[in-house]
Amino acid sequence: MSAGNDLGVALRRWRDRAAPPRDGFGPPTRRRAPGMRRDELAAAAGVSAEYIKRLEQGHGRPSAAVLHALARALRLSRPEYEYFCALAGHVPSLTGRVPAEVGPGTRRLLERLGDVPICVLDAAWTLLAWNTAWERLCSTSVLADGRGRNMAWRAFTGDEHPLTERQIRFRSSIVTDLRATAVRYPGDDWLTDLVTDLRAASATFAALWRTPVDTRHRDCQVTVRHPDAGDVTLDCDIMTIHEGDLRAVVYTAEPGSADGARLAFIQACAKDDQLL
C-alpha cells in the first residue's frame, strides 16, 4: 500500500477485523489469517476481488453505491461509515428521519441552567425540550403544535418588521443549517415538505436557500414578543449537540440593559404567579 493511502489502509484494517462468512450452520472453518478474504468481501459487495485489491493499493475511488455496499458487508458503524465516505470524497447517505431523541445528559443541562432560557431543537429546528426559564419567555412556542413548534417556520412566516444585522445573521444561520440537514436526511418527508413550504411562503427564505452562503452560528440576536413585557431582543447562542444531532439555543441579555430588565421582569412575574 502506497504512502498516504488512507482509504486503502482503512479498508484493509476493516477487512482484517470483519467476521468471515460461515459455510452452512456449522462452526467457522480454521484460517491462516483473521478477517474476510478479498474474494469474500468482493462477493458480499458485488464487485471483483481484483477491484478490492486495487482499492487497498490506493488505486481508484469507489462510487457512493459501491462504498455503501462495502460498508454493509464490513458491518461498519455509523462513524466508521462517515469516515469511509470522507476518505472517498462522498457525502454519507441517510434514508431515515431527523433524530428526535433528547438524551439524559442534555436534559440535565436544561435543568442545571434553570435561570437561563434554553431550548433543544432537532436538526430541522423543531422544538423538542426546554427549561422553565425558556417556557416563561416563549410560552406560545410551547403551546403550539405542528409547524408552530418549528423555529425556522416561525422565524420566516411571522410578523415582518425591520431586522438588525445580527437578526439577519440568525435567519441566515438557520437556512445554512437546514440546507446541511437536508443533505444528511434526504429521506425525511417532513423536512422536505418544510423546506418546500418555506420557499413558497417566504421570499426571504427562498432567496437565502438559492444562495448557499456558509453562515456560522455566531453573533446572532432574536426578538421575542412577550404578552406582558413586549418585544425583548436577546443575544442568541446556538450550540450543536453531536450526540443525537441536536441544537441547544440559549438566550441571554446584556446586564443592565433594558432588554435585560424585561427578561428579569418576565422571570420574576412567573415565579410570583407560581407562589400564588
Side-chain angles (χ1 to χ4, degrees), residues 49-272:
E50 180 62 26
Y51 181 72
I52 299 295
K53 180 179 179 180
R54 286 180 56 80
L55 287 180
E56 291 182 352
Q57 291 176 339
H59 304 298
R61 188 187 73 161
S63 66
V66 169
L67 186 145
H68 186 67
L70 289 171
R72 285 175 60 91
L74 293 166
R75 298 183 180 181
L76 300 186
S77 66
R78 181 68 201 181
E80 288 171 337
Y81 168 64
E82 291 177 352
Y83 177 59
F84 200 12
C85 287
L87 293 177
H90 294 300
V91 175
S93 64
L94 273 175
T95 57
R97 298 196 61 182
V98 172
E101 183 74 23
V102 181
T106 301
R107 293 194 180 276
R108 285 193 292 271
L109 175 66
L110 292 174
E111 294 171 0
R112 291 175 182 175
L113 295 177
D115 293 332
V116 178
I118 178 173
C119 71
V120 175
L121 315 169
D122 65 15
W125 287 71
T126 299
L127 180 64
L128 299 178
W130 56 88
N131 66 357
T132 303
W134 198 87
E135 182 174 357
R136 293 167 182 163
L137 177 66
C138 306
S139 57
T140 54
S141 298
V142 174
L143 296 174
D145 55 13
R147 288 278 174 82
R149 295 178 76 102
N150 184 270
M151 188 174 287
W153 183 259
R154 295 174 70 93
F156 285 96
T157 63
D159 296 335
E160 288 294 333
H161 51 82
L163 301 177
T164 67
E165 285 296 323
R166 294 176 69 187
Q167 290 169 332
I168 292 172
R169 282 197 291 272
F170 174 66
R171 286 189 173 193
S172 298
S173 69
I174 292 178
V175 178
T176 297
D177 198 47
L178 271 182
R179 187 184 294 107
T181 299
V183 171
R184 293 197 304 278
Y185 303 97
D188 192 312
D189 294 336
W190 194 93
L191 173 61
T192 300
D193 290 343
L194 172 68
V195 172
T196 299
D197 292 347
L198 275 170
R199 295 180 71 178
S202 170
T204 301
F205 182 92
L208 289 170
W209 189 266
R210 290 193 301 268
T211 309
V213 177
D214 186 12
T215 305
R216 304 293 182 179
H217 302 319
R218 58 175 180 267
D219 195 27
C220 296
Q221 277 186 335
V222 297
T223 297
V224 177
R225 182 156 294 175
H226 191 271
D228 298 321
D231 288 352
V232 187
T233 299
L234 302 166
D235 294 331
C236 175
D237 290 291
I238 305 166
M239 299 177 290
T240 300
I241 303 173
H242 293 288
E243 186 66 29
D245 201 3
L246 305 174
R247 312 288 180 268
V249 179
V250 184
Y251 292 157
T252 57
E254 183 179 352
S257 66
D259 290 302
R262 294 188 187 98
L263 181 59
F265 168 77
I266 293 169
Q267 302 299 325
C269 288
K271 290 178 181 178
D272 290 343

